[in-house]
């Protein structure tokens, strides 16, 4: 049986994972939770317990992966560092993203952005909510938080997608590398302009916080980390918004309960990022030989930490493939854990759970899927909807 499962892992193809990774993850969880997958050039970790253990032991499972695709695209960000170096850069950005700042400064800004976008298409009675709402809202909100308010939302969307495609370019597609490198240069130019402005006129933004920290970051460190924020801070809230909307549109009983009690949109958000984790996989590397999930890993082993699988682990979640806002004791891993727990967690919860989702359902009466074209899914390193055609009553 072990040989059969090993052969299964070796036959996994990236296009299969992109189309629908969940059946593959289920097989790996049940039979080989730490499996060498040649197509990904790494061991995939698929069980919740193993990933939770890994996050508590960064001294064994390092974020500083050699030949990292993220480092190739973005440079050396805080996400690819451990220990004091990681903590220093994280601490510099943190003031702009604390819960109180998010509530008092950013949530009102998010609400204005959501309302302005909906004003632009509400009277039409139909729209693709991916392209006309979720994506531009994520870009505009991110621009405000980072200190890039003068950068067009479309530029941020283009840069984000290109860089994220690069960090997931395990197929080594040269066209993807070219797009990612071009996007990175665009980000650097925009950040340099922001640094010049914010050096003289500080504000509440992330770039300003990094510039004026007790231990300020260098321009290079700011550029690289803003690339990271543009990647993770745009695609993830965009995808959580579209997936959460789709989930409610296809689960009418749950939708009715949420519309009767809007405070439950926070439950919708948490279940959404469990059900379809926007960051499906991230890398780690072992610093020594170790055993995990019944597999002996050599020092220097490249790992893929599959949050999308952990969040559907049957040993943790009942009926894990089902969207259910009434789950109790949520212990999803959508935001990771340990020292690298997502710095934008509170921002994402506010942007999606407190603003985007409730505003859509409040302002678009009778919101429903249009049926004009099928809803499409894609991705495994980053997964979400690719469109969301909808209609509502005017």
């Amino acid at each position: 049986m072990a040989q059969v499962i090993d052969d299964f892992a070796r036959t996994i193809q990236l296009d299969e994972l992109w189309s629908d990774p969940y059946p593959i993850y289920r097989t790996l969880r049940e039979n080989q939770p730490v499996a060498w997958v040649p197509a990904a050039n790494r061991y995939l970790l698929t069980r919740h317990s193993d990933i939770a253990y890994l996050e508590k032991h960064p001294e064994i499972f390092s974020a500083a992966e050699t030949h990292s695709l993220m480092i190739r695209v973005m440079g050396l960000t805080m996400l690819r560092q451990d220990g004091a170096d990681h903590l220093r850069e994280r601490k510099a950005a943190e003031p702009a993203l604390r819960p109180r700042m998010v509530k008092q400064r950013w949530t009102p800004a998010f609400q204005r952005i959501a309302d302005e976008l909906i004003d632009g298409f509400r009277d039409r009675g139909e729209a693709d909510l991916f392209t006309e709402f979720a994506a531009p809202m994520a870009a505009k909100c991110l621009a405000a938080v980072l200190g890039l308010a003068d950068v067009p939302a479309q530029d941020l969307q283009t840069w984000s997608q290109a860089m994220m495609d690069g960090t997931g370019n395990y197929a080594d597609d040269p066209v993807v590398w070219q797009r990612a490198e071009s996007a990175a240069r665009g980000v650097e130019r925009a950040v340099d302009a922001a640094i010049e402005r914010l050096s003289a006129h500080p504000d509440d933004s992330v770039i300003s916080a990094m510039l004026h920290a007790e231990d300020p970051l260098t321009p290079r460190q700011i550029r690289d980390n803003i690339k990271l924020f543009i990647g993770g801070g745009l695609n993830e809230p965009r995808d959580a918004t579209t997936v959460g909307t789709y989930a409610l549109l296809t689960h009418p009983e749950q939708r009715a309960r949420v519309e009767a009690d809007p405070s439950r949109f926070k439950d919708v958000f948490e279940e959404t990022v469990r059900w379809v984790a926007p960051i499906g996989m991230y890398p780690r590397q072992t610093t020594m030989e170790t055993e995990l999930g019944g597999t002996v890993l050599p020092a220097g082993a490249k790992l893929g930490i599959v949050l999308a699988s952990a969040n559907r682990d049957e040993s943790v979640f009942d009926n894990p493939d089902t969207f259910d806002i009434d789950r109790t004791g949520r212990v999803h891993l959508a935001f990771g854990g340990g020292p690298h727990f997502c710095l934008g967690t509170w921002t994402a919860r506010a942007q999606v759970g407190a603003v985007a989702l409730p505003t859509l359902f409040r302002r678009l009466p009778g919101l429903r899927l249009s049926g004009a074209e099928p809803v499409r899914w894609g991705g495994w390193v980053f997964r979400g909807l690719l469109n969301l055609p909808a209609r509502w009553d005017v």
Side-chain angles (χ1 to χ4, degrees), residues 85-145:
D85 291 337
H86 162 258
L87 184 60
R88 172 178 174 263
E89 295 186 14
R90 182 184 178 100
K91 185 178 179 181
E94 201 169 45
L97 302 169
R98 289 173 180 154
R100 179 177 294 181
M101 179 67 76
V102 170
K103 182 178 181 179
Q104 296 179 352
R105 176 70 175 86
W106 303 126
T107 300
F110 298 162
Q111 188 63 64
R112 287 193 297 272
I113 290 167
D115 285 327
E116 288 171 1
L117 287 169
I118 291 174
D119 287 344
F121 58 72
R122 183 185 183 190
D123 291 345
R124 287 209 320 265
E126 63 179 355
D128 184 331
L129 295 180
F130 180 101
T131 57
E132 294 195 60
F133 182 72
M137 178 169 177
K140 289 174 179 290
C141 292
L142 183 65
V145 171

Side-chain angles (χ1 to χ4, degrees), residues 41 57 76 88 109 213 254 269 353 355 385:
N41 194 33
H57 293 85
L76 187 59
R88 172 178 174 263
Q254 295 185 59
F269 174 79
V355 176
L385 287 171

Side-chain angles (χ1 to χ4, degrees), residues 33-91:
V34 180
W36 174 254
V37 177
N41 194 33
R42 62 191 56 242
Y43 294 88
L44 295 188
L45 278 64
T46 51
R47 280 188 188 164
H48 189 286
S49 59
D50 292 331
I51 294 173
Y53 173 85
L54 171 146
E55 288 288 7
K56 295 175 182 177
H57 293 85
E59 74 282 2
I60 302 174
F61 305 100
S62 173
E65 183 188 51
T66 57
H67 307 298
S68 161
L69 300 189
M70 178 174 283
I71 293 175
R72 174 172 176 173
V73 172
M74 299 179 178
L76 187 59
T77 71
M78 66 179 76
L79 202 59
R80 288 293 159 263
Q81 299 183 73
D82 294 311
D85 291 337
H86 162 258
L87 184 60
R88 172 178 174 263
E89 295 186 14
R90 182 184 178 100
K91 185 178 179 181

Side-chain angles (χ1 to χ4, degrees), residues 71-335:
I71 293 175
R72 174 172 176 173
V73 172
M74 299 179 178
L76 187 59
T77 71
M78 66 179 76
L79 202 59
R80 288 293 159 263
Q81 299 183 73
D82 294 311
D85 291 337
H86 162 258
L87 184 60
R88 172 178 174 263
E89 295 186 14
R90 182 184 178 100
K91 185 178 179 181
E94 201 169 45
L97 302 169
R98 289 173 180 154
R100 179 177 294 181
M101 179 67 76
V102 170
K103 182 178 181 179
Q104 296 179 352
R105 176 70 175 86
W106 303 126
T107 300
F110 298 162
Q111 188 63 64
R112 287 193 297 272
I113 290 167
D115 285 327
E116 288 171 1
L117 287 169
I118 291 174
D119 287 344
F121 58 72
R122 183 185 183 190
D123 291 345
R124 287 209 320 265
E126 63 179 355
D128 184 331
L129 295 180
F130 180 101
T131 57
E132 294 195 60
F133 182 72
M137 178 169 177
K140 289 174 179 290
C141 292
L142 183 65
V145 171
L146 293 183
L148 298 174
D150 296 333
V151 177
Q154 186 56 58
D155 285 354
L156 284 175
Q157 292 178 62
T158 300
W159 295 339
S160 178
Q161 192 62 56
M163 290 191 297
M164 289 299 93
D165 289 346
T167 63
N169 189 23
Y170 293 96
D172 200 26
D173 184 332
V175 175
V176 172
W177 289 132
Q178 185 177 21
R179 289 177 51 241
E181 290 161 6
S182 176
R185 301 295 83 76
V187 173
E188 290 180 351
R189 289 191 293 270
V191 171
D192 285 344
I195 287 175
E196 183 176 355
R197 171 172 50 84
L198 294 169
S199 293
H201 303 285
D203 61 16
D204 295 326
S205 69
V206 170
I207 293 176
S208 185
M210 290 175 166
L211 275 172
H212 300 284
E214 183 178 348
D215 186 3
L217 301 192
T218 67
R220 167 53 60 191
Q221 290 169 330
I222 294 173
R223 292 185 204 108
D224 290 350
N225 279 298
I226 293 302
K227 293 173 200 170
L228 168 66
F229 281 112
I230 289 175
L234 196 154
N235 287 16
E236 281 75 34
R238 177 200 68 193
D239 294 342
T241 297
T242 53
V243 172
T245 302
Y246 173 83
L248 289 180
L249 295 182
T250 54
H251 295 79
E253 292 183 358
Q254 295 185 59
R255 173 183 180 174
R257 296 203 300 276
V258 172
E259 290 187 313
D261 179 6
S263 70
R264 299 216 59 192
F265 274 107
K266 65 180 184 297
D267 298 324
V268 175
F269 174 79
E270 299 298 335
E271 176 64 356
T272 294
V273 297
R274 181 209 66 83
W275 188 48
V276 181
I279 300 178
M281 188 277 284
Y282 61 81
R284 287 289 185 268
Q285 183 170 313
T286 56
T287 61
M288 62 184 74
E289 181 178 294
T290 189
E291 182 176 343
L292 191 64
T295 297
V296 176
L297 299 167
K302 292 183 179 295
L303 313 178
I305 314 308
V306 189
L307 300 181
S309 176
N311 283 349
R312 294 201 184 190
D313 191 327
E314 300 82 354
S315 69
V316 178
F317 304 101
D318 294 332
N319 301 313
D321 294 332
T322 300
F323 180 84
D324 180 6
I325 64 170
D326 293 322
R327 292 185 187 278
T328 58
R330 293 180 178 83
V331 286
H332 69 71
L333 296 176
F335 295 116

